[in-house]
Amino acid sequence: MLASLILIIILPFFLAAGLYLKSILIINENHLQDLLFSDIWKPAENKFGFAPFIISSLWVSLSAIILAVPVCLLSSIYITQYAKSSVLKLMQPVIDILAGIPSVIFGVWGVLMIVPFSVKAAGWFNIHTTGYNIFSGALVLLVMIIPFILNILIEIFRMIPEELSEASLSLGATKWETIKYILLRKAFPGIVSAFGLGLSRAFGETIAVLMVVGNVIQIPHNIFDPGYPLPALIANNYGEMLSIPKYDSALMLAALILLAVILIFNFASRLLIMRFEKYS
Amino acid sequence: MTTIITPKIKISELNLSIDKQEILKNINVEIPENKITVLLGPSGCGKTTLLKTLNRLTDLYDNVKISGSVILDNEDILHTKSDITKIRQKMGLLSQRPYPLPMSIYGNISYGLKIKGVKKKKILDERVEHYLKEVNLWEEVRERLHHPASALSIGQQQRLCLARGLAVGPEIILADEPTSALDPLSSQAIEEMFLILKKNYTLVLVTHILRQAKRIADYVVFMYLGEVVEQGPAEEFFSSPKMERTKAYLKGAFN
Ligand SMILES: Nc1ncnc2c1ncn2[C@@H]1O[C@H](COP(=O)(O)OP(=O)(O)OP(=O)(O)O)[C@@H](O)[C@H]1O
Ligand SMILES: [Mg+2]
């Protein structure tokens, strides 16, 4: 048991170290600044600017999480605080099923439903698009992370003892005041970590996003522009284009960046949690 | 010695069921003003439910059916149109374990006041100090008013919960086994406080501890399986119980 514990703890380091060793070739030959912030991606000319991929990834995942916050918060509050307990009994299996659906199915569904919708939605703003864009990617991600986040949030709200609400109500607070000032505050660390996990998941999600996001190497300027997220870059190209020197190494660096960003998200949410935990 | 006491709360023909299961059956109790009324009875007999009916926390349950009346200040609080939050502010609630609100010590006391609309910091400061003094907590926490309340000991937390309840200016204090999670010294502190508080408040106390009931009760209501078996002034109740069930309970035959 101890061995497996140690394995789990050192695994991320092994992962990061492995990726670093593989990508060291490209890191040594290019300025880190160019790698991260340049938008010129011409592997044949030895130009590897990751900015389009990093920014595409941020666009899709942040848009998805921003949309997910109100949806998940309000529905988890409704389910745990207002609805009868039978509603939860009904919802739970549905949420579980949604959470367990393989992402490729969400991808296919996205191509069938979201992509045409995206064309229409862009039309309202007089923007012409193929439908394969950031907006579609974000919506597909949204649908995928909602059940995941909702599950955690419901659990968090259910774990708050009834007596805490009763204490607040008995002081003359209304139900809504109790939710706003007491329950949300109590649940805050949990809420942050739920969305932090959701964000990491969205950032790393590969196949479903890749199918609808367009995969055009450019920095997107609005949500109806196509993009090319990091995981898609790796998945689309790994094992190919070996004729180009250092391409392999570049993809490893992409993976390393992906890992680093997810670690940053994790770290940031942990900091937030620590700040608030002592009061809950 | 049949002194007529004005009841603060008059419960008449109260029936309560959850999911068609009868929990309270035909309860008729008059809770005397400025006295300590103790609800006694074995586990599961409905003491907590009765207490929660008094400040309508039973609203939180799914599928409850309530009939009868609970009259407080000439108003049937079960069928009232007036603001339920106002009625709840007439009663402070102390639960089995302390549940400090997820905020500072200061925040715990000022919360109810802010809900009531008190905004001035000077008044809040003054009220916080006043009620912390009232529960003998001021000296222990004055240096760390803005620290999280959860850092206090359980006994201190329970006194804090009492203070926060008093801060909204109730007339009644409902306490559900308030000492069951506390060490003997903290329990004693709470008991002593109740004896002082009854000068200005009407107290309703649920307890499992027979000795505690004997120490502080003025009036006793004994319940069994959702019914009131016997009630009366404490001395009479303990010295000459009338019903067989009560006698058995007082002997400790069941608990
Ligand atoms: N939310 C609820 N839903 C269904 N039944 C409930 C609920 N709350 C209480 N009951 C039932 O009501 C009865 C009385 O419960 P209550 O908590 O009032 O008893 P009690 O006298 O306070 O017991 P204890 O001394 O153990 O605290 C019990 O049979 C209990 O199972
Ligand atoms: Mg109880």
Short mmCIF file of all heavy atoms in Angstrom, two decimals, chain B residues 188-246:
data_model
loop_
_atom_site.label_atom_id
_atom_site.label_comp_id
_atom_site.label_asym_id
_atom_site.label_seq_id
_atom_site.Cartn_x
_atom_site.Cartn_y
_atom_site.Cartn_z
N GLN B 188 -22.36 22.82 32.90
CA GLN B 188 -22.78 23.55 34.09
C GLN B 188 -22.91 25.04 33.78
O GLN B 188 -23.86 25.69 34.21
CB GLN B 188 -21.75 23.32 35.19
CG GLN B 188 -22.27 23.63 36.57
CD GLN B 188 -21.15 23.60 37.62
OE1 GLN B 188 -20.11 22.98 37.39
NE2 GLN B 188 -21.37 24.25 38.73
N ALA B 189 -21.96 25.55 32.98
CA ALA B 189 -22.02 26.96 32.62
C ALA B 189 -23.32 27.28 31.90
O ALA B 189 -23.98 28.29 32.17
CB ALA B 189 -20.82 27.33 31.74
N ILE B 190 -23.71 26.40 30.97
CA ILE B 190 -24.94 26.63 30.22
C ILE B 190 -26.15 26.56 31.16
O ILE B 190 -27.04 27.42 31.11
CB ILE B 190 -25.09 25.58 29.09
CG1 ILE B 190 -23.99 25.75 28.04
CG2 ILE B 190 -26.47 25.63 28.46
CD1 ILE B 190 -24.28 26.78 26.97
N GLU B 191 -26.17 25.56 32.02
CA GLU B 191 -27.30 25.44 32.96
C GLU B 191 -27.45 26.69 33.82
O GLU B 191 -28.55 27.23 33.99
CB GLU B 191 -27.09 24.24 33.89
CG GLU B 191 -27.51 22.93 33.28
CD GLU B 191 -27.36 21.78 34.28
OE1 GLU B 191 -27.45 22.02 35.51
OE2 GLU B 191 -27.15 20.63 33.83
N GLU B 192 -26.32 27.15 34.33
CA GLU B 192 -26.37 28.36 35.18
C GLU B 192 -26.88 29.55 34.40
O GLU B 192 -27.65 30.38 34.91
CB GLU B 192 -24.98 28.65 35.75
CG GLU B 192 -24.66 27.76 36.95
CD GLU B 192 -23.17 27.76 37.29
OE1 GLU B 192 -22.42 28.55 36.69
OE2 GLU B 192 -22.78 26.95 38.16
N MET B 193 -26.47 29.62 33.16
CA MET B 193 -26.92 30.71 32.32
C MET B 193 -28.43 30.66 32.11
O MET B 193 -29.11 31.69 32.14
CB MET B 193 -26.22 30.61 30.98
CG MET B 193 -25.71 31.91 30.48
SD MET B 193 -24.47 31.59 29.27
CE MET B 193 -23.13 31.09 30.25
N PHE B 194 -28.96 29.46 31.91
CA PHE B 194 -30.40 29.31 31.73
C PHE B 194 -31.15 29.83 32.94
O PHE B 194 -32.18 30.50 32.81
CB PHE B 194 -30.76 27.84 31.49
CG PHE B 194 -30.50 27.38 30.08
CD1 PHE B 194 -29.96 28.25 29.14
CD2 PHE B 194 -30.79 26.08 29.69
CE1 PHE B 194 -29.72 27.83 27.85
CE2 PHE B 194 -30.56 25.66 28.40
CZ PHE B 194 -30.02 26.53 27.48
N LEU B 195 -30.63 29.50 34.12
CA LEU B 195 -31.30 29.93 35.34
C LEU B 195 -31.34 31.46 35.43
O LEU B 195 -32.30 32.04 35.94
CB LEU B 195 -30.62 29.33 36.56
CG LEU B 195 -30.84 27.82 36.70
CD1 LEU B 195 -29.97 27.24 37.81
CD2 LEU B 195 -32.31 27.50 36.95
N ILE B 196 -30.30 32.09 34.92
CA ILE B 196 -30.30 33.56 34.91
C ILE B 196 -31.23 34.08 33.81
O ILE B 196 -32.01 35.01 34.03
CB ILE B 196 -28.87 34.09 34.69
CG1 ILE B 196 -27.99 33.70 35.88
CG2 ILE B 196 -28.89 35.61 34.51
CD1 ILE B 196 -26.52 33.94 35.65
N LEU B 197 -31.16 33.43 32.65
CA LEU B 197 -31.92 33.92 31.50
C LEU B 197 -33.43 33.85 31.72
O LEU B 197 -34.18 34.61 31.13
CB LEU B 197 -31.56 33.11 30.24
CG LEU B 197 -30.18 33.39 29.65
CD1 LEU B 197 -29.85 32.40 28.55
CD2 LEU B 197 -30.11 34.81 29.10
N LYS B 198 -33.87 32.93 32.57
CA LYS B 198 -35.33 32.78 32.68
C LYS B 198 -36.02 33.99 33.30
O LYS B 198 -37.22 34.12 33.19
CB LYS B 198 -35.68 31.49 33.43
CG LYS B 198 -35.52 31.54 34.92
CD LYS B 198 -36.07 30.26 35.52
CE LYS B 198 -35.98 30.30 37.02
NZ LYS B 198 -36.50 29.08 37.64
N LYS B 199 -35.22 34.87 33.88
CA LYS B 199 -35.82 36.12 34.36
C LYS B 199 -36.41 36.92 33.21
O LYS B 199 -37.43 37.59 33.36
CB LYS B 199 -34.76 36.97 35.07
CG LYS B 199 -34.31 36.40 36.39
CD LYS B 199 -33.58 37.45 37.22
CE LYS B 199 -32.86 36.81 38.37
NZ LYS B 199 -31.51 36.33 38.00
N ASN B 200 -35.74 36.85 32.08
CA ASN B 200 -36.17 37.68 30.95
C ASN B 200 -36.71 36.89 29.77
O ASN B 200 -37.24 37.47 28.83
CB ASN B 200 -35.01 38.53 30.47
CG ASN B 200 -34.51 39.47 31.53
OD1 ASN B 200 -35.31 40.15 32.18
ND2 ASN B 200 -33.22 39.47 31.76
N TYR B 201 -36.50 35.59 29.80
CA TYR B 201 -36.90 34.79 28.64
C TYR B 201 -37.73 33.60 29.08
O TYR B 201 -37.66 33.17 30.22
CB TYR B 201 -35.68 34.25 27.90
CG TYR B 201 -34.73 35.30 27.38
CD1 TYR B 201 -33.69 35.76 28.17
CD2 TYR B 201 -34.85 35.81 26.09
CE1 TYR B 201 -32.79 36.72 27.70
CE2 TYR B 201 -33.97 36.76 25.61
CZ TYR B 201 -32.94 37.21 26.42
OH TYR B 201 -32.06 38.15 25.95
N THR B 202 -38.48 33.07 28.13
CA THR B 202 -39.17 31.80 28.35
C THR B 202 -38.31 30.71 27.71
O THR B 202 -37.95 30.83 26.55
CB THR B 202 -40.55 31.83 27.68
OG1 THR B 202 -41.31 32.90 28.26
CG2 THR B 202 -41.27 30.51 27.87
N LEU B 203 -37.98 29.69 28.48
CA LEU B 203 -37.10 28.66 27.92
C LEU B 203 -37.82 27.34 27.73
O LEU B 203 -38.60 26.91 28.59
CB LEU B 203 -35.89 28.44 28.85
CG LEU B 203 -34.87 29.58 28.86
CD1 LEU B 203 -35.09 30.49 30.03
CD2 LEU B 203 -33.46 29.02 28.85
N VAL B 204 -37.55 26.70 26.61
CA VAL B 204 -38.03 25.34 26.38
C VAL B 204 -36.81 24.48 26.12
O VAL B 204 -36.02 24.75 25.21
CB VAL B 204 -38.97 25.26 25.16
CG1 VAL B 204 -39.53 23.85 25.02
CG2 VAL B 204 -40.10 26.27 25.29
N LEU B 205 -36.62 23.48 26.96
CA LEU B 205 -35.39 22.70 26.91
C LEU B 205 -35.69 21.22 26.73
O LEU B 205 -36.47 20.64 27.48
CB LEU B 205 -34.64 22.93 28.24
CG LEU B 205 -33.48 22.02 28.57
CD1 LEU B 205 -32.28 22.36 27.71
CD2 LEU B 205 -33.12 22.13 30.05
N VAL B 206 -35.10 20.64 25.73
CA VAL B 206 -35.20 19.19 25.58
C VAL B 206 -33.98 18.58 26.24
O VAL B 206 -32.86 19.06 26.03
CB VAL B 206 -35.19 18.79 24.08
CG1 VAL B 206 -35.07 17.28 23.94
CG2 VAL B 206 -36.44 19.28 23.39
N THR B 207 -34.19 17.59 27.06
CA THR B 207 -33.01 16.94 27.62
C THR B 207 -33.24 15.45 27.81
O THR B 207 -34.35 14.97 27.94
CB THR B 207 -32.58 17.58 28.95
OG1 THR B 207 -31.37 16.95 29.38
CG2 THR B 207 -33.64 17.43 30.02
N HIS B 208 -32.13 14.75 27.79
CA HIS B 208 -32.15 13.33 28.07
C HIS B 208 -31.73 13.07 29.50
O HIS B 208 -31.85 11.97 30.01
CB HIS B 208 -31.12 12.63 27.17
CG HIS B 208 -31.74 11.95 26.02
ND1 HIS B 208 -31.25 12.04 24.76
CD2 HIS B 208 -32.84 11.17 25.93
CE1 HIS B 208 -32.00 11.35 23.93
NE2 HIS B 208 -32.97 10.82 24.62
N ILE B 209 -31.15 14.12 30.09
CA ILE B 209 -30.51 13.92 31.39
C ILE B 209 -31.50 14.24 32.49
O ILE B 209 -31.86 15.40 32.73
CB ILE B 209 -29.27 14.83 31.51
CG1 ILE B 209 -28.41 14.69 30.24
CG2 ILE B 209 -28.48 14.49 32.75
CD1 ILE B 209 -27.41 15.79 30.07
N LEU B 210 -31.93 13.20 33.17
CA LEU B 210 -32.95 13.36 34.20
C LEU B 210 -32.49 14.30 35.30
O LEU B 210 -33.24 15.14 35.79
CB LEU B 210 -33.27 11.98 34.78
CG LEU B 210 -34.71 11.73 35.19
CD1 LEU B 210 -35.67 12.14 34.10
CD2 LEU B 210 -34.89 10.24 35.53
N ARG B 211 -31.22 14.16 35.68
CA ARG B 211 -30.70 15.01 36.77
C ARG B 211 -30.71 16.47 36.35
O ARG B 211 -30.98 17.35 37.15
CB ARG B 211 -29.28 14.56 37.16
CG ARG B 211 -29.30 13.51 38.27
CD ARG B 211 -27.91 12.99 38.48
NE ARG B 211 -27.44 12.37 37.24
CZ ARG B 211 -26.18 12.35 36.84
NH1 ARG B 211 -25.25 12.93 37.56
NH2 ARG B 211 -25.85 11.75 35.71
N GLN B 212 -30.39 16.71 35.08
CA GLN B 212 -30.42 18.09 34.61
C GLN B 212 -31.84 18.65 34.69
O GLN B 212 -32.05 19.77 35.16
CB GLN B 212 -29.93 18.14 33.16
CG GLN B 212 -29.84 19.53 32.60
CD GLN B 212 -29.23 19.52 31.20
OE1 GLN B 212 -29.74 18.87 30.29
NE2 GLN B 212 -28.15 20.25 31.03
N ALA B 213 -32.79 17.83 34.28
CA ALA B 213 -34.18 18.26 34.35
C ALA B 213 -34.56 18.61 35.78
O ALA B 213 -35.18 19.63 36.04
CB ALA B 213 -35.09 17.16 33.81
N LYS B 214 -34.16 17.74 36.70
CA LYS B 214 -34.50 18.01 38.11
C LYS B 214 -33.84 19.28 38.61
O LYS B 214 -34.42 20.01 39.41
CB LYS B 214 -34.06 16.82 38.98
CG LYS B 214 -34.99 15.63 38.85
CD LYS B 214 -34.54 14.47 39.74
CE LYS B 214 -35.47 13.29 39.55
NZ LYS B 214 -34.87 12.03 40.03
N ARG B 215 -32.63 19.53 38.14
CA ARG B 215 -31.92 20.72 38.61
C ARG B 215 -32.58 22.00 38.15
O ARG B 215 -32.67 22.96 38.92
CB ARG B 215 -30.47 20.70 38.09
CG ARG B 215 -29.52 19.84 38.91
CD ARG B 215 -28.08 20.20 38.59
NE ARG B 215 -27.72 19.89 37.21
CZ ARG B 215 -27.20 18.73 36.81
NH1 ARG B 215 -26.99 17.77 37.69
NH2 ARG B 215 -26.89 18.53 35.56
N ILE B 216 -33.04 22.06 36.91
CA ILE B 216 -33.44 23.38 36.42
C ILE B 216 -34.89 23.52 35.96
O ILE B 216 -35.33 24.61 35.68
CB ILE B 216 -32.50 23.86 35.29
CG1 ILE B 216 -32.59 22.95 34.07
CG2 ILE B 216 -31.07 23.98 35.77
CD1 ILE B 216 -31.73 23.46 32.92
N ALA B 217 -35.64 22.42 35.89
CA ALA B 217 -36.99 22.54 35.33
C ALA B 217 -37.96 23.23 36.28
O ALA B 217 -37.90 23.04 37.49
CB ALA B 217 -37.52 21.15 34.98
N ASP B 218 -38.84 24.06 35.71
CA ASP B 218 -39.97 24.58 36.47
C ASP B 218 -41.22 23.80 36.10
O ASP B 218 -42.13 23.63 36.89
CB ASP B 218 -40.21 26.05 36.13
CG ASP B 218 -39.03 26.91 36.54
OD1 ASP B 218 -38.64 26.84 37.71
OD2 ASP B 218 -38.50 27.62 35.67
N TYR B 219 -41.26 23.41 34.84
CA TYR B 219 -42.43 22.73 34.32
C TYR B 219 -41.92 21.58 33.45
O TYR B 219 -40.92 21.72 32.76
CB TYR B 219 -43.26 23.72 33.47
CG TYR B 219 -44.65 23.25 33.14
CD1 TYR B 219 -45.68 23.38 34.08
CD2 TYR B 219 -44.93 22.70 31.90
CE1 TYR B 219 -46.97 22.95 33.77
CE2 TYR B 219 -46.21 22.27 31.58
CZ TYR B 219 -47.23 22.40 32.53
OH TYR B 219 -48.49 21.98 32.23
N VAL B 220 -42.59 20.43 33.52
CA VAL B 220 -42.10 19.27 32.78
C VAL B 220 -43.19 18.72 31.88
O VAL B 220 -44.35 18.63 32.28
CB VAL B 220 -41.63 18.15 33.75
CG1 VAL B 220 -41.08 16.97 32.95
CG2 VAL B 220 -40.57 18.68 34.70
N VAL B 221 -42.79 18.38 30.67
CA VAL B 221 -43.71 17.72 29.74
C VAL B 221 -43.07 16.38 29.40
O VAL B 221 -41.96 16.34 28.87
CB VAL B 221 -43.90 18.56 28.46
CG1 VAL B 221 -44.80 17.81 27.49
CG2 VAL B 221 -44.47 19.92 28.80
N PHE B 222 -43.76 15.30 29.72
CA PHE B 222 -43.20 13.99 29.43
C PHE B 222 -43.89 13.38 28.22
O PHE B 222 -45.11 13.26 28.18
CB PHE B 222 -43.36 13.08 30.66
CG PHE B 222 -42.93 11.66 30.39
CD1 PHE B 222 -41.64 11.37 29.98
CD2 PHE B 222 -43.83 10.61 30.53
CE1 PHE B 222 -41.24 10.07 29.72
CE2 PHE B 222 -43.45 9.30 30.27
CZ PHE B 222 -42.15 9.03 29.86
N MET B 223 -43.10 13.02 27.24
CA MET B 223 -43.66 12.49 26.00
C MET B 223 -43.26 11.04 25.80
O MET B 223 -42.21 10.59 26.23
CB MET B 223 -43.16 13.31 24.80
CG MET B 223 -43.61 14.75 24.83
SD MET B 223 -42.85 15.68 23.50
CE MET B 223 -43.65 14.92 22.08
N TYR B 224 -44.15 10.33 25.10
CA TYR B 224 -43.84 8.94 24.78
C TYR B 224 -44.52 8.61 23.45
O TYR B 224 -45.73 8.83 23.30
CB TYR B 224 -44.33 8.02 25.91
CG TYR B 224 -43.93 6.58 25.71
CD1 TYR B 224 -42.61 6.18 25.92
CD2 TYR B 224 -44.87 5.63 25.30
CE1 TYR B 224 -42.24 4.87 25.73
CE2 TYR B 224 -44.50 4.31 25.11
CZ TYR B 224 -43.18 3.93 25.33
OH TYR B 224 -42.81 2.62 25.14
N LEU B 225 -43.77 8.13 22.51
CA LEU B 225 -44.29 7.77 21.19
C LEU B 225 -45.22 8.83 20.58
O LEU B 225 -46.30 8.53 20.10
CB LEU B 225 -45.05 6.43 21.27
CG LEU B 225 -44.21 5.20 21.57
CD1 LEU B 225 -45.10 3.95 21.62
CD2 LEU B 225 -43.11 5.00 20.52
N GLY B 226 -44.76 10.07 20.63
CA GLY B 226 -45.50 11.13 19.95
C GLY B 226 -46.66 11.71 20.74
O GLY B 226 -47.36 12.58 20.25
N GLU B 227 -46.86 11.20 21.97
CA GLU B 227 -47.95 11.75 22.76
C GLU B 227 -47.42 12.34 24.06
O GLU B 227 -46.38 11.91 24.56
CB GLU B 227 -48.96 10.64 23.11
CG GLU B 227 -49.77 10.19 21.93
CD GLU B 227 -50.71 9.07 22.29
OE1 GLU B 227 -50.23 7.92 22.38
OE2 GLU B 227 -51.90 9.34 22.50
N VAL B 228 -48.14 13.30 24.60
CA VAL B 228 -47.80 13.80 25.92
C VAL B 228 -48.48 12.90 26.93
O VAL B 228 -49.70 12.78 26.96
CB VAL B 228 -48.27 15.26 26.11
CG1 VAL B 228 -48.08 15.70 27.55
CG2 VAL B 228 -47.50 16.18 25.17
N VAL B 229 -47.67 12.24 27.74
CA VAL B 229 -48.22 11.32 28.72
C VAL B 229 -48.63 12.07 29.98
O VAL B 229 -49.71 11.85 30.54
CB VAL B 229 -47.20 10.22 29.07
CG1 VAL B 229 -47.72 9.33 30.19
CG2 VAL B 229 -46.87 9.40 27.84
N GLU B 230 -47.75 12.96 30.39
CA GLU B 230 -48.02 13.68 31.64
C GLU B 230 -47.29 15.01 31.62
O GLU B 230 -46.20 15.13 31.07
CB GLU B 230 -47.54 12.84 32.83
CG GLU B 230 -47.87 13.46 34.17
CD GLU B 230 -47.63 12.49 35.34
OE1 GLU B 230 -47.40 11.29 35.09
OE2 GLU B 230 -47.67 12.96 36.49
N GLN B 231 -47.89 16.02 32.20
CA GLN B 231 -47.18 17.29 32.33
C GLN B 231 -47.60 17.97 33.61
O GLN B 231 -48.67 17.71 34.16
CB GLN B 231 -47.47 18.20 31.14
CG GLN B 231 -48.96 18.47 30.91
CD GLN B 231 -49.19 19.35 29.72
OE1 GLN B 231 -48.52 20.36 29.55
NE2 GLN B 231 -50.14 19.00 28.87
N GLY B 232 -46.71 18.81 34.12
CA GLY B 232 -47.04 19.53 35.34
C GLY B 232 -45.84 20.26 35.89
O GLY B 232 -44.73 20.14 35.36
N PRO B 233 -46.05 21.02 36.96
CA PRO B 233 -44.94 21.72 37.62
C PRO B 233 -43.88 20.69 38.05
O PRO B 233 -44.23 19.57 38.46
CB PRO B 233 -45.60 22.37 38.83
CG PRO B 233 -47.04 22.49 38.46
CD PRO B 233 -47.34 21.31 37.60
N ALA B 234 -42.63 21.09 38.00
CA ALA B 234 -41.53 20.15 38.18
C ALA B 234 -41.60 19.40 39.51
O ALA B 234 -41.47 18.17 39.54
CB ALA B 234 -40.20 20.89 38.07
N GLU B 235 -41.83 20.13 40.59
CA GLU B 235 -41.84 19.46 41.90
C GLU B 235 -42.85 18.34 41.94
O GLU B 235 -42.54 17.21 42.31
CB GLU B 235 -42.20 20.48 42.98
CG GLU B 235 -41.00 21.16 43.58
CD GLU B 235 -41.42 22.22 44.59
OE1 GLU B 235 -42.28 21.90 45.44
OE2 GLU B 235 -40.91 23.35 44.48
N GLU B 236 -44.07 18.67 41.54
CA GLU B 236 -45.13 17.67 41.51
C GLU B 236 -44.77 16.50 40.61
O GLU B 236 -44.92 15.35 40.97
CB GLU B 236 -46.40 18.32 40.94
CG GLU B 236 -47.52 18.52 41.93
CD GLU B 236 -48.62 19.34 41.26
OE1 GLU B 236 -49.40 18.76 40.47
OE2 GLU B 236 -48.64 20.56 41.51
N PHE B 237 -44.27 16.84 39.44
CA PHE B 237 -43.97 15.82 38.44
C PHE B 237 -42.94 14.83 38.97
O PHE B 237 -43.11 13.62 38.85
CB PHE B 237 -43.45 16.47 37.16
CG PHE B 237 -43.10 15.49 36.08
CD1 PHE B 237 -44.05 15.07 35.15
CD2 PHE B 237 -41.82 14.95 35.99
CE1 PHE B 237 -43.73 14.16 34.16
CE2 PHE B 237 -41.49 14.03 35.01
CZ PHE B 237 -42.45 13.64 34.09
N PHE B 238 -41.90 15.34 39.61
CA PHE B 238 -40.85 14.43 40.07
C PHE B 238 -41.20 13.73 41.38
O PHE B 238 -40.81 12.59 41.60
CB PHE B 238 -39.52 15.18 40.21
CG PHE B 238 -38.92 15.54 38.89
CD1 PHE B 238 -38.72 16.87 38.53
CD2 PHE B 238 -38.55 14.55 37.98
CE1 PHE B 238 -38.17 17.22 37.31
CE2 PHE B 238 -38.01 14.88 36.75
CZ PHE B 238 -37.82 16.22 36.41
N SER B 239 -41.96 14.42 42.24
CA SER B 239 -42.23 13.80 43.54
C SER B 239 -43.42 12.84 43.49
O SER B 239 -43.40 11.79 44.10
CB SER B 239 -42.45 14.88 44.60
OG SER B 239 -43.54 15.69 44.21
N SER B 240 -44.45 13.23 42.74
CA SER B 240 -45.59 12.33 42.71
C SER B 240 -46.16 12.19 41.30
O SER B 240 -47.24 12.72 40.99
CB SER B 240 -46.69 12.84 43.65
OG SER B 240 -46.96 14.19 43.37
N PRO B 241 -45.42 11.48 40.45
CA PRO B 241 -45.93 11.26 39.09
C PRO B 241 -47.20 10.42 39.15
O PRO B 241 -47.34 9.55 40.00
CB PRO B 241 -44.78 10.51 38.41
CG PRO B 241 -43.99 9.90 39.52
CD PRO B 241 -44.13 10.80 40.69
N LYS B 242 -48.13 10.68 38.22
CA LYS B 242 -49.41 10.00 38.28
C LYS B 242 -49.46 8.77 37.39
O LYS B 242 -50.02 7.75 37.74
CB LYS B 242 -50.52 10.97 37.88
CG LYS B 242 -50.67 12.10 38.89
CD LYS B 242 -51.76 13.07 38.49
CE LYS B 242 -51.74 14.29 39.39
NZ LYS B 242 -50.53 15.14 39.15
N MET B 243 -48.85 8.88 36.21
CA MET B 243 -49.00 7.79 35.25
C MET B 243 -47.93 6.73 35.45
O MET B 243 -46.80 7.01 35.84
CB MET B 243 -48.91 8.34 33.81
CG MET B 243 -49.76 9.56 33.54
SD MET B 243 -51.53 9.20 33.64
CE MET B 243 -51.76 8.35 32.09
N GLU B 244 -48.31 5.49 35.10
CA GLU B 244 -47.37 4.36 35.24
C GLU B 244 -46.13 4.56 34.37
O GLU B 244 -45.00 4.30 34.79
CB GLU B 244 -48.07 3.04 34.85
CG GLU B 244 -49.05 2.54 35.89
CD GLU B 244 -48.42 2.46 37.28
OE1 GLU B 244 -47.28 1.94 37.40
OE2 GLU B 244 -49.06 2.91 38.24
N ARG B 245 -46.37 5.02 33.14
CA ARG B 245 -45.26 5.25 32.20
C ARG B 245 -44.23 6.21 32.78
O ARG B 245 -43.03 6.00 32.66
CB ARG B 245 -45.80 5.88 30.90
CG ARG B 245 -46.31 4.90 29.91
CD ARG B 245 -45.37 4.84 28.70
NE ARG B 245 -45.39 3.49 28.17
CZ ARG B 245 -46.42 2.97 27.54
NH1 ARG B 245 -47.53 3.67 27.35
NH2 ARG B 245 -46.36 1.73 27.10
N THR B 246 -44.76 7.28 33.39
CA THR B 246 -43.86 8.29 33.96
C THR B 246 -43.04 7.69 35.08
O THR B 246 -41.82 7.87 35.15
CB THR B 246 -44.68 9.48 34.51
OG1 THR B 246 -45.75 9.76 33.61
CG2 THR B 246 -43.82 10.69 34.67
#
